[in-house]
Amino acid sequence: FSKLSEPEIKIFYNEILQELAEKIIHLKKDTLVWNTWGDALVAIFEDEAKVIELIFSYRDFFKNYDFKAKNINPIFPRIAGHFGRFEIIEDALLGGVNNAFGQNINTTARIEPVTRPNEIYVTEDFKDRIEKSPNNINIKFDELGEVPLAKSFGTYNLFRVRKEDEEKKIIDRIVEQDLSKMLPEAEEINQE
């Protein structure tokens, strides 16, 4: 989003965002919080199935959108999910609309920047909640391991979420290793 030009941002807000809203706005009624923060959508649900419906509808909208038709560079969202406690307030600056704050909100915000474009990364808490859901949710979780979050927020065990019919991807990570023992022995240099 930040790489869009001013004219492209106008197209995004005036046209593309309207089309996205038509696809997902029906989910708003099921949320505790539905808000935008800059170029982010923040949604808090109690119903696990609705969370999954939103994250895949959101991802697939951008994944399948014909950006060329709008003469705009493609947008690749990064989607993050977490499960935990938070505080809901009536935000006076938003005219009493529900908003949320707390450590778990911050955690989700720090996962989003380390998520690969067009991917959905979630915490182990999120994964556990979905797997314990009484709803029949047909998705898969691919473990990514301990991933450092943005802004030195610590590390979390993260998972990539995918639909059951989507193939598993190998997400590479840079791992700090001492490779010196794997190098062959150097031959002696003859000084003659």
Side-chain angles (χ1 to χ4, degrees):
F1 181 84
S2 61
K3 294 181 180 171
L4 297 179
S5 66
E6 288 289 326
E8 287 176 318
I9 290 172
K10 266 188 169 175
I11 293 169
F12 175 77
Y13 277 110
N14 292 326
E15 298 177 36
I16 297 171
L17 200 58
Q18 299 300 318
E19 293 176 47
L20 174 61
E22 290 172 15
K23 299 251 186 240
I24 65 171
I25 200 68
H26 68 279
L27 293 166
K28 182 179 178 182
K29 70 183 180 332
D30 299 311
T31 62
L32 300 172
V33 172
W34 181 276
N35 198 350
T36 57
W37 295 347
D39 64 348
L41 170 64
V42 178
I44 299 175
F45 293 87
E46 290 181 306
D47 183 329
E48 299 90 355
K50 297 293 182 183
V51 171
I52 299 305
E53 181 182 350
L54 175 64
I55 62 177
F56 282 109
S57 295
Y58 194 89
R59 184 203 65 178
D60 293 346
F61 174 84
F62 286 101
K63 191 175 183 180
N64 301 320
Y65 195 83
D66 184 5
F67 289 98
K68 284 183 183 179
K70 298 283 185 187
N71 198 27
I72 184 174
N73 285 310
I75 296 170
F76 306 105
R78 301 168 189 265
I79 302 168
H82 181 51
F83 171 77
R85 300 182 78 74
F86 52 87
E87 296 292 326
I88 292 184
I89 58 164
E90 289 184 11
D91 194 323
L93 294 176
L94 295 175
V97 172
N98 278 355
N99 210 340
F101 70 92
Q103 184 72 11
N104 289 311
I105 301 296
N106 295 338
T107 298
T108 310
R110 299 303 176 255
I111 296 168
E112 178 271 328
V114 301
T115 303
R116 287 192 173 196
N118 277 341
E119 296 290 345
I120 304 162
Y121 287 7
V122 300
T123 61
E124 194 162 6
D125 293 326
F126 183 101
K127 174 186 167 288
D128 291 347
R129 176 64 184 245
I130 296 298
E131 289 178 339
K132 291 175 184 168
S133 172
N135 298 311
N136 185 17
I137 300 174
N138 299 318
I139 60 171
K140 296 286 186 186
F141 295 94
D142 301 328
E143 187 168 4
L144 301 172
E146 291 290 322
V147 177
L149 302 188
K151 298 186 180 182
S152 302
F153 203 74
T155 61
Y156 269 77
N157 192 26
L158 297 184
F159 297 81
R160 174 183 176 257
V161 182
R162 62 183 167 91
K163 295 176 182 176
E164 275 190 327
D165 63 347
E166 293 174 338
E167 86 178 47
K168 181 177 183 172
K169 289 184 184 175
I170 296 174
I171 306 289
D172 60 330
R173 290 185 291 133
I174 297 173
V175 179
E176 188 177 327
Q177 295 181 4
D178 178 7
L179 300 177
S180 63
K181 291 180 176 69
M182 298 176 76
L183 297 173
E185 292 292 321
E187 293 182 28
E188 267 190 50
I189 299 175
N190 191 347
Q191 297 286 335
E192 294 177 12

